[in-house]
Structure formats: C-alpha cells, structure tokens
Amino acid sequence: MERPLRQFVLMQSAYLWAQRSTCSRLHVGCVMEREGRILVQGYNGAPAGLDHCDHACDCGGMSRWGRTGTPTTSHDRDCNTTKPCLRAVHAEQNAIAFAARHGVELEGASAWITNQPCMSCAQSMINAGIKEVFYFEPYRLQDGVHLLEEAGIKVSNMQLIHPEWVDRMIR
C-alpha cells in the first residue's frame, strides 16, 4: 500500500470533521496545522448549546424530471432549502475560537478547509496569523480568496493541484 501524501491526509481530516457539521445545508470542515501536526479543527454549525440549523423543505418541493431523465426537486424561492444559513458559525471561525479559548497559537499555521473560505473567514484567518490556506471545493464568490492573497497569504485550490483526489475524498 502506498503511503498517502501528508497534504491528502490533512484534507481528508478536514472532510472527516465536516461530517460533524450540525448545519443541514452544507457540511464544512477545517483543520489548522503547523509542520503537519493538527493544532485545532472545526466544523460549521449552530453556536454551542443551541438548536441545530434546519434547512428542511417547507414548500412541499415539487418533483420534476431533469434533462438527463432523472427526477429533480424544485423549490419555491422562499423555501428553507434555497435560503443561506444565517445560524451556523463557519468551520474556520469555530477552529479559531477554540484556539483562542484554549491558548493554542495559530501564528504561522496553515488551514485545510473542505470549501473555499468566505470574506468573513478570510478576515478571521488574517487576524489569527494563518500563513497559508488550502481548500478543495470552489465557491462562486472569490472575495475571500482575493482578500487572503492581498494580505500575502498563499491560497491553493487542491482540486486543481490534485484532480485525482476528487473521487478519493470522503465527502
């Protein structure tokens, strides 16, 4: 058996933590490491002690047939499934909050995230001293990546660097 790359193991770790997400809309995981050793991890979800995020359909979602001949579901514009989650704390923010609460130094660490960071998470990572960010799933908005790069932080989309990983990730 071939020994997996450390990069692959770190990204897989982020995906493992994403499985702990308490948001039904999107599961995101993050690990922050230094020299290959995980310092903290986080996943997205409701703040501690509060009810989990619920994005279940509340419009009755109508089934329709897609172009490929497979059934798809269509939802009303105001359906819970189409709204962004305003309750969940993001995975990166949870990892940074845990580090701050427990005295874990993140200066110079790298972040491995299942999904491309948003603007708010980018701001938090800049202020936490993160030096490098790796993510796997792209996002339509690029403002978080642009801000990280403007701050001199190296950002890498691992899906572009290692396309062979796509079928191997435990999503």
Side-chain angles (χ1 to χ4, degrees):
M1 182 169 150
E2 184 178 325
R3 186 176 185 209
L5 293 172
R6 183 177 286 180
Q7 296 172 326
F8 183 77
V9 171
L10 290 165
M11 190 58 74
Q12 282 285 49
S13 297
Y15 272 99
L16 278 172
W17 282 102
Q19 293 177 15
R20 295 275 307 147
S21 172
T22 64
C23 179
S24 63
R25 184 173 177 271
L26 181 65
H27 294 196
V28 180
C30 170
V31 295
M32 295 187 178
E33 57 86 21
R34 188 178 303 111
E35 297 179 23
R37 304 292 180 167
I38 295 174
L39 304 170
V40 293
Q41 62 279 328
Y43 51 88
N44 64 318
L50 298 182
D51 290 339
H52 296 189
C53 308
D54 181 10
H55 297 278
C57 175
D58 60 356
C59 76
M62 302 178 351
S63 288
R64 299 186 182 162
W65 290 94
R67 282 188 257 182
T68 61
T70 57
T72 61
T73 303
S74 177
H75 297 277
D76 294 342
R77 178 185 294 168
D78 294 327
C79 180
N80 242 2
T81 61
T82 64
K83 295 177 186 172
C85 185
L86 301 176
R87 185 175 189 84
V89 178
H90 292 191
E92 303 93 319
Q93 294 168 333
N94 272 323
I96 291 168
F98 182 90
R101 192 174 197 178
H102 295 281
V104 178
E105 175 68 48
L106 293 178
E107 184 73 36
S110 297
W112 294 80
I113 314 161
T114 57
N115 296 67
Q116 181 180 316
C118 70
M119 176 65 94
S120 179
C121 289
Q123 293 167 331
S124 296
M125 287 188 288
I126 291 166
N127 284 349
I130 299 299
K131 70 168 183 178
E132 202 166 9
V133 173
F134 302 91
Y135 69 92
F136 202 74
E137 304 287 342
Y139 183 58
R140 63 183 168 77
L141 300 177
Q142 299 294 309
D143 53 353
V145 168
H146 294 315
L147 188 69
L148 289 164
E149 292 172 338
E150 184 182 335
I153 296 171
K154 182 181 175 188
V155 180
S156 300
N157 178 341
M158 298 307 286
Q159 197 172 107
L160 295 177
I161 296 170
H162 289 285
E164 71 277 11
W165 290 4
V166 172
D167 294 331
R168 295 176 57 199
M169 283 295 148
I170 51 167
R171 298 186 239 185

